[in-house]
Amino acid sequence: MGADSQGRAIKKVVLAYSGGLDTSIIIPWLKENYNCEVIAMAADVGQGDEEFEGLEAKALATGASKLYIADIKDELVNDFIWPTLKAGARYETYLLGTSFARPPIAKALVEIARKEGADAIAHGCTGKGNDQVRFELTAKALAPELAVIAPWREWDIESREDAIAYAEARAIPLKITRETNYSKDRNLWHLSHEGLDLEDPANEPDYEKLLELGVSPEAAPDKPQYVTLSFEKGVPVALDGERLEGVALVERLNALGGANGIGIIDLVENRLVGMKSRGVYETPGGTILYVAHDALETLCLDKETAHFKQIVAQRYADLVYNGQWYSPLRVALDAFVESTQQTVTGEVKLKLYKGNVTPVSLTSPYSLHDADIASFGASDYDHTDATGFINLFGLPLKIAATRRKPE
């Protein structure tokens, strides 16, 4: 039995486990260094069934006493993705795919730790990344009594090459090699790629080798594809007239977007821990949804609300990116967002073509667009009203001009 840095006894640990490089070596490392029982927990966030093939056998073979697989796809979509979409939150053009997936994973980890009577949870996040903060802030908010073990902040392994060597010395099977070990994170919403040649922003990504959720815009069909999305109070509910649950809707849009080269961004982002990091993100379905939702809001929100919501969207994105999902401010901002979405209902028709998503038709029972008033033709609009408006609106400029001393 070991103890953490605060001297708390650690008899049982629940590890966020993916079967990838880092978490594969953490199981034996925990047993060697803490002499504790290790329970593995893999979260199904839509990364694909192939990720779970042989996972239990591998976890047990490397020293875990059991493996839980927590299916949290519906929770991810309904409780995390939809609120973020309704807020319009983007972090430096990034659609927050990893950011909002970490809190529900950590939540599931905490729930299993309590069920098992564990003393601690553990994760495989590095000391350079954002995910360590997201996992641990969630744990602090939901289960402050649990210790958190972060091996990357304790062991003497300094690189992914060291980690591969550690695994090889213990005959732990890996799906990567030293030549192909891009750091990836995949869930229902996106797939991220980091490391290797991408670490130098001067290197152009080889999309033919890199992309997995779709094709490059150059390789997309030469003929545009049209889709229609239906929204109810800001939530997408149907595709081309067919009502779909959230998971199925995102999956369908991923296929459509991927086939048309949509949702690929190459970003040098500002990490929470202070450094810049370059990554390539694939978010095909999410990109379509954001464009459609933005377009519908132009029809349904008044000017002042729409402009203030842009400010809220940026703050909301910062909170999600920084791991503060369970903060009082994020909850409070949700109340504002929910209020704005009461009229964001309608249909958006979009054209998908070689990486572009273009809204071509907007309809809503709550549309604030009055074709008669806005028309360039004859209407009931009284043009003479503009005279008084301009006089009052320009009054400060006029007064300033009359008081200005000649040069």
Side-chain angles (χ1 to χ4, degrees), residues 269-336:
E269 72 190 66
N270 290 292
R271 281 186 179 174
L272 173 60
V273 294
M275 68 188 73
K276 289 185 181 289
S277 175
R278 194 268 191 101
V280 171
Y281 296 95
E282 299 180 65
T283 319
T287 299
I288 296 171
L289 285 168
Y290 263 73
V291 171
H293 185 266
D294 286 351
L296 188 58
E297 285 194 332
T298 66
L299 199 65
C300 301
L301 296 187
D302 66 277
K303 173 185 173 182
E304 297 300 330
T305 300
H307 287 189
F308 189 75
K309 188 170 180 288
Q310 292 174 353
I311 300 171
V312 171
Q314 182 58 64
R315 192 68 185 95
Y316 200 105
D318 289 341
L319 291 170
V320 177
Y321 187 84
N322 294 343
Q324 296 169 293
W325 184 270
Y326 289 102
S327 67
L329 178 56
R330 206 277 310 168
V331 174
L333 293 182
D334 251 359
F336 166 79

Side-chain angles (χ1 to χ4, degrees), residues 60-267:
L60 297 179
T62 51
S65 61
K66 66 177 71 172
L67 170 72
Y68 283 90
I69 296 180
D71 186 344
I72 58 173
K73 295 190 294 294
D74 287 328
E75 181 182 10
L76 172 63
V77 173
N78 295 320
D79 297 345
F80 294 84
I81 292 178
W82 288 167
T84 306
L85 171 68
K86 287 188 287 185
R90 298 168 175 82
Y91 184 83
E92 299 178 355
T93 73
Y94 159 57
L95 299 186
L96 298 162
T98 300
S99 306
F100 53 48
R102 293 313 188 224
I105 294 173
K107 177 173 174 282
L109 199 66
V110 164
E111 290 169 351
I112 291 171
R114 283 179 166 161
K115 175 182 177 181
E116 288 285 344
D119 312 293
I121 60 172
H123 61 74
C125 309
T126 75
K128 290 184 178 181
N130 304 308
D131 283 341
Q132 58 182 336
V133 181
R134 296 163 184 158
F135 271 107
E136 296 183 36
L137 289 192
T138 299
K140 288 180 184 298
L142 302 181
E145 76 280 3
L146 289 175
V148 179
I149 300 174
W152 270 102
R153 304 204 298 259
E154 295 184 30
W155 60 23
D156 56 4
I157 295 173
E158 296 183 352
S159 65
R160 291 179 67 79
E161 288 73 24
D162 289 347
I164 292 172
Y166 185 97
E168 291 173 344
R170 289 158 180 77
I172 298 172
L174 300 173
K175 295 181 181 180
I176 62 174
T177 68
R178 283 178 167 78
E179 290 73 34
T180 62
N181 74 345
Y182 282 109
S183 177
K184 300 180 183 181
D185 176 72
R186 181 171 181 172
N187 59 43
L188 183 70
W189 188 251
H190 88 157
L191 173 61
S192 64
H193 309 265
E194 295 177 304
L196 296 181
D197 55 306
L198 298 179
E199 292 187 343
D200 185 349
N203 294 328
E204 179 181 1
D206 183 352
Y207 287 149
E208 297 304 315
K209 178 177 68 174
L210 200 65
L211 299 179
E212 297 181 29
L213 300 187
V215 300
S216 66
E218 294 88 345
D222 294 330
K223 183 179 179 181
Q225 183 170 4
Y226 289 86
V227 298
T228 299
L229 279 166
S230 302
F231 289 81
E232 293 178 0
K233 295 184 177 181
V235 175
V237 295
L239 174 62
D240 293 330
E242 179 185 358
R243 291 189 72 89
L244 296 167
E245 294 297 323
V247 172
L249 179 61
V250 175
E251 289 176 338
R252 190 84 61 86
L253 287 173
N254 277 339
L256 291 169
N260 286 280
I262 287 163
I264 304 164
I265 63 169
D266 182 355
L267 175 65

Side-chain angles (χ1 to χ4, degrees), residues 5-84:
S5 59
Q6 298 179 34
R8 290 176 291 186
I10 305 297
K11 299 178 182 178
K12 186 185 294 187
V13 178
V14 181
L15 168 67
Y17 181 73
S18 67
L21 172 60
D22 296 340
T23 58
S24 292
I25 65 174
I26 285 175
I27 293 176
W29 184 88
L30 285 170
K31 293 177 72 69
E32 292 170 12
N33 289 271
Y34 281 86
N35 190 29
C36 61
E37 179 185 354
V38 179
I39 296 170
M41 191 282 290
D44 183 353
V45 287
Q47 61 267 57
D49 293 339
E50 66 277 4
E51 293 290 329
F52 300 101
E53 293 176 2
L55 195 63
E56 182 177 22
K58 180 177 180 179
L60 297 179
T62 51
S65 61
K66 66 177 71 172
L67 170 72
Y68 283 90
I69 296 180
D71 186 344
I72 58 173
K73 295 190 294 294
D74 287 328
E75 181 182 10
L76 172 63
V77 173
N78 295 320
D79 297 345
F80 294 84
I81 292 178
W82 288 167
T84 306

